[in-house]
Amino acid sequence: MSTLKDIAKEVGVSVATVSYVLNNSGSVGEDVKKQVLAAAKRLDYRPNRRAQAMRTGVSQSIGLVLPDLTNPFFPELAQSVENEARKRGLAVVLVDSQNNADAETQGLAILQQHGVDGIIWCPVDDQVIQKATPLNCPIVLIDRPSQGFDVVHSNYRLGGALAAEHAIAQGHTHVGILCGPRNIDSAEQRRMGFCERAAGKLTIAWEIEVPYATSLNNDAFSALSSGKASLVFAADDLIAIGAINYLNDKGIKVPDDISIIGFDNIPWAELVRPKLTTISQPITDIGRASVDVLLQKLQNPAKVACAIVLDVKLIERDSVAHRRTTV
Amino acid sequence: MSTLKDIAKEVGVSVATVSYVLNNSGSVGEDVKKQVLAAAKRLDYRPNRRAQAMRTGVSQSIGLVLPDLTNPFFPELAQSVENEARKRGLAVVLVDSQNNADAETQGLAILQQHGVDGIIWCPVDDQVIQKATPLNCPIVLIDRPSQGFDVVHSNYRLGGALAAEHAIAQGHTHVGILCGPRNIDSAEQRRMGFCERAAGKLTIAWEIEVPYATSLNNDAFSALSSGKASLVFAADDLIAIGAINYLNDKGIKVPDDISIIGFDNIPWAELVRPKLTTISQPITDIGRASVDVLLQKLQNPAKVACAIVLDVKLIERDSVAHRRTTV
DNA sequence: GCCAAAAGATTAAACGATTAAGCTTTATCA
DNA sequence: TGATAAAGCTTAATCGTTTAATCTTTTGGC
């Protein structure tokens, strides 16, 4: 890799002059400017970002800290963040904590040592955000709001409401909820949104808490096969797919015997049979928005923290049936 | 963030001394050593990696260049690489080229500017590897072998053979192949492995080339519904799932009417119904092996290029039926 | 023709680390 | 005792940039 020095030697000027023309600053004669530009191209000069970072304090890189790439919500997010960042010439340093707080801490330390300019972070849990302060660099949270931090997430409450509305519109009266971890805000919001809109119109036959995964627990199984609900609202698509598969294996037909609504609209939703009716999160927009916000914060560190809440929408597919009669 | 200088001032010695104790080099008195270590802990000192990189030329970071995180093969790989790298204190800079050669080039340029120590790379296509040389840093290829480069991939030929063997063992005689892009080596190897082992035992009723995706083309559709094959070998699970879904939608039963074998054993394979019988790639091992090889190359740049070929295995699930009679 | 200002270039310090070389002080040994 | 070595520490250069400060030359105005 050629350096400023190489160009300077080639043209016969000082490195400062070369730096000035490459940055369009200082005052340099047209003639020299042309020569420098030509030499830079000829030598295929690329600025050494770490030297720049050293001097200016900005590294042109951001950190992306995710809990689990294996959860199909995140690859799309990562892709979106990476793309948006690359468009702006930023490098993305990836950390996948595998849902482990210690790993996350270690990952954050690495980001800090490398001096990323800012971090886009979906923390493994809510408590762990305390570790953010000593990081001492702008942070944008994904999905998990926290006092004093910028955050971008979907309108989960609206999503829950949309699901309830759909259930009502399709003539269901008795529903079950497979809700996610109650201590995770984004899961709780979905539940609340659903319940609020359901109030007075839907009777909630049962409500079971399960982890975000396709493997459900026995409580969920017995609730699903109890026949008390004609529709179940799952806190995310993974859970919904887990439910569909369980019911399928049991010989209970979806949606004829029981309807399922998911949440997230992960790619699998369209691949599973029946195709999953679900609430779609604008994952790509979330990624884009989060780097936007981060960049704003970088330009103006005094910026007051804000929440960006993106609309969700119902994607009707084949896992919800219309009901004439009540259960 | 505190620096060597801060520690030096605190203890009252020179930065050189501090550096020596922190690196266990030079000769420093026990007393000073203790004081420095204590001060370092007290001030929560973390080495500034970019300054280290500046001076030593090694940045403690690697690049990971992937064609598409949305393809379910890659998230697991990325996770594995990140984890293995983090264990060793390395940062991972992610590039997702979205199957676009220009984006990939841009991503590689960013990696270069940031001075990653090496790159783990699954190129969007075979030609594009030419761009590697000017990068001038160790590269380990994933999945796509190329003259003079280290590479790690699965034993695709074996995988194809395993699939053929299974077809034979289950009594099939007429099979179809949904093969991946012929210009991609890893796809071609699967096909060849299958055909070699099939020779003389299986008659290949048809062979259709499709892209790595769940959306199949019309040629594939008509072949699938032609009834000429009782089993089809799909070049990857995405294709297999596309086939299953098409057949399902058509009312053709899998595996009763037609059996399907996939390749990759992506997470979806277990979620789709019928559960997919497939050839499993050891994705996590591939990730681990690739950072291993990269690190070897870093320690010894003269290391001769090698290929690491990892065994695959057949995962029997529900998409292949046993046949008594021939078609 | 002279002075001030602008234009065009250079010098040198700084960012935070590493490390060869140099300088003291103390210990070793004939 | 005096030379030599070892131990313990500091100085200063260096990596590739940026940028304030400085210097020199040209230009313009009166």
Side-chain angles (χ1 to χ4, degrees):
Chain A
M1 289 250 293
S2 54
T3 70
L4 286 192
K5 210 197 264 181
D6 298 326
I7 300 182
K9 205 173 295 172
E10 183 93 348
V11 179
V13 293
S14 72
V15 291
T17 302
V18 176
S19 175
Y20 283 131
V21 356
L22 261 22
N23 292 308
N24 257 326
S25 55
S27 83
V28 183
E30 281 308 316
D31 189 42
V32 171
K33 215 175 246 181
K34 258 178 214 146
Q35 281 184 266
V36 167
L37 257 14
K41 183 162 282 178
R42 193 153 11 99
L43 299 179
D44 189 33
Y45 170 77
R46 319 265 174 112
N48 179 327
R49 299 266 174 227
R50 31 190 213 213
Q52 287 183 324
M54 189 85 288
R55 179 64 229 246
T56 63
V58 347
S59 67
Q60 308 263 48
S61 67
I62 63 177
L64 176 63
V65 182
L66 264 23
D68 184 12
L69 270 173
T70 264
N71 176 325
F73 175 80
F74 291 110
E76 194 180 335
L77 180 72
Q79 187 174 64
S80 166
V81 167
E82 192 277 342
N83 266 264
E84 198 61 23
R86 181 156 39 70
K87 267 190 213 154
R88 302 167 137 99
L90 302 174
V92 175
V93 184
L94 176 73
V95 172
D96 177 327
S97 59
Q98 292 193 344
N99 280 310
N100 171 3
D102 288 341
E104 194 176 64
T105 307
Q106 195 202 352
L108 289 169
I110 291 184
L111 294 184
Q112 191 183 19
Q113 291 177 16
H114 280 271
V116 295
D117 295 330
I119 297 178
I120 294 175
W121 184 16
C122 181
V124 297
D125 60 45
D126 284 356
Q127 301 88 288
V128 101
I129 302 182
Q130 312 314 329
K131 292 183 298 197
T133 322
L135 252 33
N136 194 24
C137 81
I139 288 178
V140 173
L141 260 21
I142 301 250
D143 228 63
R144 316 242 200 278
S146 179
Q147 244 320 309
F149 288 94
D150 287 275
V151 62
V152 5
H153 59 87
S154 299
N155 195 334
Y156 294 118
R157 194 175 286 244
L158 171 64
L162 253 28
E165 248 167 41
H166 189 59
I168 296 166
Q170 296 300 306
H172 293 265
T173 55
H174 291 67
V175 301
I177 300 179
L178 251 20
C179 60
R182 296 291 288 264
N183 63 330
I184 291 185
D185 189 67
S186 67
E188 187 58 7
Q189 292 284 327
R190 297 167 202 213
R191 213 197 98 258
M192 286 168 57
F194 186 87
C195 290
E196 283 165 14
R197 192 63 56 101
K201 312 228 175 160
L202 257 26
T203 91
I204 312 248
W206 48 263
E207 209 178 309
I208 309 283
E209 182 176 342
V210 294
Y212 277 153
T214 48
S215 56
L216 306 183
N217 54 31
N218 285 328
D219 286 353
F221 290 152
S222 48
L224 280 168
S225 39
S226 69
K228 291 194 185 143
S230 70
L231 178 145
V232 355
F233 172 52
D236 82 351
D237 288 348
L238 251 25
I239 296 171
I241 291 171
I244 288 180
N245 282 344
Y246 169 75
L247 293 167
N248 256 337
D249 296 352
K250 268 269 181 183
I252 304 176
K253 292 243 172 309
V254 179
D256 305 322
D257 298 330
I258 190 166
S259 295
I260 308 269
I261 300 187
F263 207 118
D264 279 356
N265 194 30
I266 61 177
W268 305 4
E270 208 167 6
L271 260 24
V272 86
R273 293 300 131 104
K275 294 184 186 168
L276 189 61
T277 289
T278 189
I279 306 296
S280 152
Q281 291 201 52
I283 306 188
T284 301
D285 299 84
I286 294 177
R288 192 169 21 229
S290 57
V291 353
D292 268 352
V293 173
L294 189 58
L295 260 56
Q296 285 170 28
K297 194 97 184 182
L298 286 175
Q299 303 214 333
N300 172 21
K303 186 181 97 57
V304 59
C306 73
I308 298 214
V309 181
L310 296 164
D311 265 13
V312 298
K313 59 176 188 241
L314 176 75
I315 306 286
E316 284 193 63
R317 285 195 274 247
D318 310 327
S319 65
V320 172
H322 188 78
R323 280 255 149 172
R324 295 262 151 86
T325 61
T326 59
V327 185
Chain B
M1 289 251 294
S2 54
T3 71
L4 285 193
K5 210 197 264 181
D6 297 326
I7 301 182
K9 204 173 295 171
E10 183 93 349
V11 179
V13 293
S14 72
V15 291
T17 302
V18 176
S19 176
Y20 283 130
V21 356
L22 261 23
N23 292 309
N24 258 328
S25 55
S27 83
V28 183
E30 279 308 317
D31 189 41
V32 171
K33 216 175 246 182
K34 258 179 213 145
Q35 281 184 266
V36 167
L37 257 14
K41 183 163 283 178
R42 194 157 5 100
L43 299 178
D44 189 33
Y45 170 78
R46 317 265 175 110
N48 179 327
R49 298 269 174 228
R50 33 189 210 212
Q52 286 183 323
M54 191 82 289
R55 179 64 228 249
T56 63
V58 348
S59 67
Q60 308 262 52
S61 67
I62 63 176
L64 175 63
V65 182
L66 265 23
D68 184 12
L69 271 174
T70 263
N71 177 326
F73 176 81
F74 292 110
E76 194 179 334
L77 180 71
Q79 187 174 64
S80 166
V81 167
E82 191 276 342
N83 265 264
E84 198 62 23
R86 181 155 39 72
K87 267 190 212 153
R88 303 167 137 100
L90 302 174
V92 175
V93 184
L94 176 73
V95 172
D96 176 326
S97 58
Q98 294 194 343
N99 281 310
N100 172 3
D102 288 341
E104 194 176 65
T105 307
Q106 194 201 353
L108 289 168
I110 291 183
L111 294 184
Q112 191 183 21
Q113 292 177 14
H114 280 272
V116 294
D117 296 330
I119 297 177
I120 294 175
W121 183 16
C122 181
V124 296
D125 60 44
D126 284 355
Q127 301 87 289
V128 102
I129 302 182
Q130 313 315 328
K131 290 183 297 197
T133 321
L135 252 34
N136 194 27
C137 81
I139 287 177
V140 173
L141 296 176
I142 300 247
D143 228 63
R144 316 241 201 279
S146 179
Q147 242 323 306
F149 289 93
D150 288 275
V151 62
V152 4
H153 60 88
S154 298
N155 195 333
Y156 294 118
R157 194 176 285 245
L158 171 64
L162 253 29
E165 247 167 41
H166 189 58
I168 296 165
Q170 296 300 307
H172 293 265
T173 56
H174 290 67
V175 300
I177 301 179
L178 250 20
C179 59
R182 296 291 289 265
N183 62 329
I184 292 185
D185 189 67
S186 66
E188 186 59 8
Q189 291 283 327
R190 297 167 202 211
R191 213 196 100 257
M192 285 168 57
F194 187 87
C195 291
E196 283 165 13
R197 192 63 57 99
K201 311 229 173 159
L202 257 25
T203 90
I204 313 249
W206 47 263
E207 209 176 311
I208 309 284
E209 181 176 344
V210 295
Y212 276 153
T214 49
S215 55
L216 307 183
N217 54 31
N218 286 329
D219 286 353
F221 290 151
S222 49
L224 280 169
S225 40
S226 70
K228 291 194 185 142
S230 70
L231 177 145
V232 355
F233 172 52
D236 82 351
D237 288 349
L238 253 23
I239 296 172
I241 291 171
I244 288 180
N245 282 344
Y246 169 75
L247 293 167
N248 257 336
D249 296 352
K250 268 271 182 182
I252 304 176
K253 293 242 173 308
V254 179
D256 305 323
D257 299 329
I258 191 166
S259 295
I260 307 270
I261 301 186
F263 207 119
D264 279 357
N265 194 29
I266 60 178
W268 306 2
E270 210 167 4
L271 260 24
V272 87
R273 291 301 131 104
K275 294 184 186 169
L276 189 62
T277 288
T278 189
I279 306 297
S280 152
Q281 290 201 52
I283 306 188
T284 301
D285 299 83
I286 293 178
R288 192 169 22 229
S290 57
V291 353
D292 269 351
V293 174
L294 188 57
L295 260 55
Q296 286 170 28
K297 195 96 185 185
L298 286 175
Q299 303 214 333
N300 172 21
K303 186 182 97 58
V304 57
C306 74
I308 298 212
V309 181
L310 296 164
D311 265 13
V312 298
K313 59 176 187 242
L314 176 74
I315 306 286
E316 284 193 63
R317 284 196 275 247
D318 309 329
S319 65
V320 172
H322 188 79
R323 281 256 150 172
R324 293 264 151 86
T325 61
T326 59
V327 183

